[in-house]
Amino acid sequence: MENTFKGITDPFVLKNGVRIPCVGLGTFKLTNDAEGVQVIESAIVDCGYRHIDTAAAYKNEASVGKAVKASGVPREKLFVTTKVWNVDRGYSQARQAFDLSLERLGLDYVDLLLIHWPATQKHYMRWEQVNIDTWRALSEIYAAGKAKAIGVANFKPSHLEALMDEEIQPMVDQIEFHPGYYPKETAEFCRENGILVEAWSPLGRGKVLESPVLEKIAAAHKKSTAQVALRWILQHDALPLPKTTHLERMEENADIFGFTLTPAEMKAIDEMPETGYTGQDPDTVDF
Ligand SMILES: NC(=O)c1ccc[n+]([C@@H]2O[C@H](COP(=O)([O-])OP(=O)(O)OC[C@H]3O[C@@H](n4cnc5c(N)ncnc54)[C@H](OP(=O)(O)O)[C@@H]3O)[C@@H](O)[C@H]2O)c1
């Protein structure tokens, strides 16, 4: 399959018509404020990133907000995602948590708001209802225009199904997705339901970059293994969110448009042995 993106600001279009730049900058573990501001501002100004992925749990929303302002790029040209953390599940907690996120970001709205992890039967008797209650908070935030789009993260089809009868349905599911961990079943469910998949840890936190499968394909295209990993994700119609603090890697991760993986190369990566999986199954994680 070949998509027609020519650069990182070309958009996927969500089911509500919102346009989302097809590569985003991850910010997990970017917890030092000064470094965070510098890295994110540089991604925007020097590298042309327009899509930043943060979360209340990353403790860097304030850095993202400062970088957005310092960049001088008009707010409407940027796409900022944040997420409601697990301790804030439920209707009123999620509403309050979002207000605090906005305050830390110093923004009037976010472009995308996600439930960070599903409530599951491991921690809740009525887990479906907890997810519905949290979802209704997000739906109201969306209706009030304070989030331009809403969605979930780490939801498997069983968790998504419990939300599919809601008036507003999830527009995005952000899940672990990288060579060595291809979550095909969730991706197919999302495709069938018009939900955009965003790929977290698209480089397997660096652990997949020495895979012989990727090395061979990278050599054939004169690209790096990181570029092949990100390209594979895009060709699966998923949106990669690579995180890096290094300018040259930001540039490398943005330079994934001048080549196309063949169907055989796609298949070889689909079928790679499990590599770099975090082991964070949403049904069994402890947080
Ligand atoms: N929703 C969720 O539950 C969830 C969970 C995890 C992550 N996420 C999101 O997804 C983003 C990305 O995931 P991640 O941070 O876990 O991992 P990742 O993006 O797969 O990997 C990041 C690691 O790869 C290195 N790296 C980046 N580009 C590289 C390149 N071109 N060549 C070699 N190494 C490179 C980085 O090092 P340097 O920084 O030193 O360059 C860093 O150590 C997060 O930052 C976060 O925004 C969401």
Side-chain angles (χ1 to χ4, degrees):
M1 186 200 333
E2 191 177 347
N3 58 47
T4 57
F5 298 130
K6 300 234 172 354
I8 58 171
T9 59
D10 282 356
F12 285 100
V13 181
L14 301 180
K15 59 178 152 189
N16 67 344
V18 161
R19 295 155 74 84
I20 174 168
C22 70
V23 175
L25 181 77
T27 67
F28 182 45
K29 296 196 177 156
L30 210 50
T31 47
N32 177 288
D33 183 52
E35 185 194 24
V37 175
Q38 186 265 319
V39 165
I40 298 162
E41 183 184 349
S42 171
I44 297 171
V45 174
D46 303 323
C47 273
Y49 283 76
R50 292 292 177 267
H51 174 176
I52 312 293
D53 183 80
T54 181
Y58 301 170
K59 308 240 179 282
N60 60 17
E61 289 170 307
S63 317
V64 171
K66 287 182 209 169
V68 161
K69 289 210 171 62
S71 74
V73 173
R75 170 68 185 93
E76 64 278 10
K77 302 267 188 224
L78 293 166
F79 193 102
V80 177
T81 300
T82 196
K83 314 184 189 93
V84 174
W85 185 235
N86 301 352
V87 294
D88 294 314
R89 292 186 181 117
Y91 176 79
S92 40
Q93 294 94 315
R95 298 268 336 221
Q96 283 165 23
F98 175 67
D99 287 342
L100 291 173
S101 279
L102 267 193
E103 216 173 287
R104 285 189 292 267
L105 284 160
L107 300 176
D108 301 328
Y109 67 91
V110 296
D111 297 278
L112 178 62
L113 179 63
L114 305 176
I115 301 178
H116 206 146
W117 289 85
T120 66
Q121 59 190 356
K122 178 167 180 184
H123 296 291
Y124 298 87
M125 295 273 282
R126 296 170 65 246
W127 62 271
E128 290 105 327
Q129 191 57 46
V130 176
N131 288 331
I132 287 172
D133 290 346
T134 314
W135 183 250
R136 289 192 178 153
L138 268 64
S139 300
E140 287 190 12
I141 291 164
Y142 173 66
K146 298 211 159 198
K148 302 294 180 198
I150 51 176
V152 295
N154 300 302
F155 274 49
K156 296 184 189 176
S158 56
H159 313 122
L160 282 164
E161 259 153 21
L163 296 183
M164 296 318 282
D165 291 331
E166 291 298 294
E167 195 182 330
I168 300 167
Q169 295 180 358
M171 297 153 197
V172 167
D173 192 4
Q174 184 181 117
I175 53 178
E176 180 166 0
F177 189 139
H178 52 79
Y181 189 75
Y182 175 28
K184 199 170 178 190
E185 195 196 333
T186 303
E188 274 170 11
F189 183 95
C190 287
R191 184 191 295 273
E192 282 159 17
N193 288 281
I195 298 168
L196 174 71
V197 170
E198 291 187 340
W200 68 251
S201 294
L203 306 171
R205 301 189 170 162
K207 293 188 186 126
V208 304
L209 300 179
E210 287 170 14
S211 144
V213 176
L214 294 187
E215 278 176 349
K216 186 166 168 231
I217 295 171
H221 290 277
K222 299 193 171 46
K223 289 284 171 185
S224 68
T225 51
Q227 289 170 320
V228 168
L230 299 173
R231 182 73 206 175
W232 172 78
I233 291 166
L234 266 189
Q235 284 186 220
H236 272 305
D237 284 332
L239 187 158
L241 298 166
K243 174 260 168 186
T244 176
T245 51
H246 296 91
L247 184 61
E248 67 280 7
R249 287 178 173 174
M250 280 176 205
E251 284 167 349
E252 179 184 333
N253 296 346
D255 180 19
I256 56 173
F257 299 94
F259 71 111
T260 302
L261 302 176
T262 65
E265 290 167 338
M266 290 295 288
K267 185 161 180 286
I269 302 174
D270 290 356
E271 292 172 356
M272 265 173 59
E274 187 177 293
T275 317
Y277 174 48
T278 60
Q280 293 177 352
D281 181 331
D283 281 317
T284 55
V285 284
D286 279 328
F287 45 81

